[in-house]
Amino acid sequence: MARLQLFLVLFSLHSLFHFPSTTSTGAHPAYDEQPSCSASVASSDPLPAPLRREEFDGGRIIDITHFYRSDMPSWESTEGVGQFLWLAQSMANGSQANGSEMKLGAHSGTHVDAPGHVFQHYFEAGFDVDTLDLAVLNGPALLVDVPRHSNITAEVMRGLNIPRGVRRVLFRTLNTDKKLMWKKKFDTSYVGFMRDGAQWLVDNTDIKLVGIDYLSVAAFDDLIPSHLVFLEGREIILVEGLKLENVKPRIYSLHCLPLRLRGAEGCPIRCILIN
């Protein structure tokens, strides 16, 4: 009788605490073979809408990168970037995980140019985005408003009075006012640097990072000549397609990080400002 009572006590304890089996099934707890509490909650309770922000930490961090979308402008195209993201593996279709594939031009959206973009001998020598100086891409930066009546010429640069010692400048232009980065059709009338403006910057300032609010720092009518001036010395980095709406002109801490794409003359870049 004592043995029977001991057995009943032990059986009751086992049922109460429901000790797990030590035998492994190899199944992930979120899958059907071994349902979990979190899986049942996810299926029965609606999730809140994801929070998408342009500012973080109470406005201390400002994202100046455009999010990628199919109708963002693409160079000399009326159709925009188009589809660039595919769900190659889908949990909804039976895959164990979701997995996307991406096909995107290296100079799409907010991106960076390397010297090999316009110099073939630099391209062949390996001056790609993986060789860009992160010390130039990160540090104090001045956001300036450019006069809205013209491209950026030597006269315009002279009038901005950017002091020596400033190494990074973000140029906000009429492109932001016209919301060109939000329009699908490429606009050749965008504001950019003329050759003489680029040369004035190289000769008379200490600027090593040039940022602008459309797909090219160079005006369409001076496209290659301006790029050649900027990139010939391999000291100036060009960041293009920046999102500069609702940002006050002043000095910020700029942080830009390109992907480490060896062999690429340009690539998407994430840029933030910190107050």
Side-chain angles (χ1 to χ4, degrees):
M1 179 65 69
R3 290 182 178 180
L4 177 60
Q5 289 176 335
L6 177 60
F7 172 80
L8 291 175
V9 169
L10 292 174
F11 179 80
S12 299
L13 289 172
H14 180 275
S15 301
L16 176 63
F17 290 106
H18 186 59
F19 297 122
S21 170
T22 58
T23 304
S24 173
T25 64
H28 188 283
Y31 298 153
D32 290 338
E33 300 118 285
Q34 192 177 342
S36 69
C37 187
S38 60
S40 62
V41 170
S43 62
S44 60
D45 295 344
L47 292 172
L51 179 61
R52 303 191 186 278
R53 293 170 286 179
E54 306 303 316
E55 296 185 358
F56 300 80
D57 196 17
R60 188 178 68 89
I61 301 173
I62 304 169
D63 197 336
I64 56 172
T65 312
H66 279 278
F67 71 87
Y68 284 84
R69 60 189 196 280
S70 61
D71 63 347
M72 75 187 317
S74 182
W75 191 259
E76 291 190 296
S77 170
T78 60
E79 300 303 317
V81 168
Q83 183 177 0
F84 60 92
L85 195 65
W86 292 263
L87 190 59
Q89 297 175 330
S90 169
M91 293 180 70
N93 291 332
S95 297
Q96 290 188 335
N98 294 316
S100 297
E101 293 181 356
M102 183 170 64
K103 183 179 180 180
L104 191 67
H107 299 267
S108 302
T110 307
H111 67 276
V112 65
D113 286 353
H117 184 36
V118 291
F119 287 96
Q120 181 62 19
H121 63 292
Y122 287 167
F123 183 84
E124 293 173 354
F127 290 100
D128 54 25
V129 294
D130 193 42
T131 66
L132 297 177
D133 189 348
L134 294 184
V136 174
L137 286 162
N138 295 269
L142 175 65
L143 171 62
V144 298
D145 275 311
V146 175
R148 301 309 202 240
H149 62 278
S150 74
N151 282 308
I152 305 175
T153 62
E155 180 182 0
V156 169
M157 279 300 304
R158 191 178 299 110
L160 290 175
N161 296 313
I162 298 172
R164 285 282 189 174
V166 174
R167 302 187 69 221
R168 304 166 194 84
V169 178
L170 312 180
F171 295 87
R172 180 164 56 192
T173 73
L174 186 64
N175 303 330
T176 294
D177 299 351
K178 294 170 67 175
K179 301 185 183 300
L180 292 189
M181 284 297 295
W182 297 100
K183 297 179 180 180
K184 180 169 67 173
K185 183 179 179 180
F186 178 75
D187 191 336
T188 60
S189 71
Y190 70 87
V191 173
F193 276 84
M194 301 298 287
R195 186 191 184 285
D196 68 321
Q199 193 66 59
W200 197 96
L201 181 148
V202 170
D203 294 341
N204 298 280
T205 76
D206 297 320
I207 297 171
K208 300 304 178 188
L209 182 145
V210 176
I212 205 162
D213 49 2
Y214 200 55
L215 293 175
S216 173
V217 300
F220 193 75
D221 293 337
D222 245 353
L223 185 63
I224 298 303
S226 295
H227 271 92
L228 293 176
V229 170
F230 279 133
L231 296 177
E232 183 176 16
R234 303 198 311 272
E235 292 184 346
I236 294 177
I237 299 178
L238 307 179
V239 181
E240 300 164 326
L242 290 169
K243 181 172 64 65
L244 300 178
E245 303 109 49
N246 305 315
V247 185
K248 294 180 180 180
R250 53 180 287 264
I251 294 177
Y252 296 88
S253 180
L254 172 70
H255 299 276
C256 294
L257 292 175
L259 302 176
R260 296 193 67 177
L261 293 179
R262 291 194 174 186
E265 79 296 331
C267 81
I269 191 169
R270 186 71 177 262
C271 291
I272 64 171
L273 298 176
I274 299 181
N275 282 302

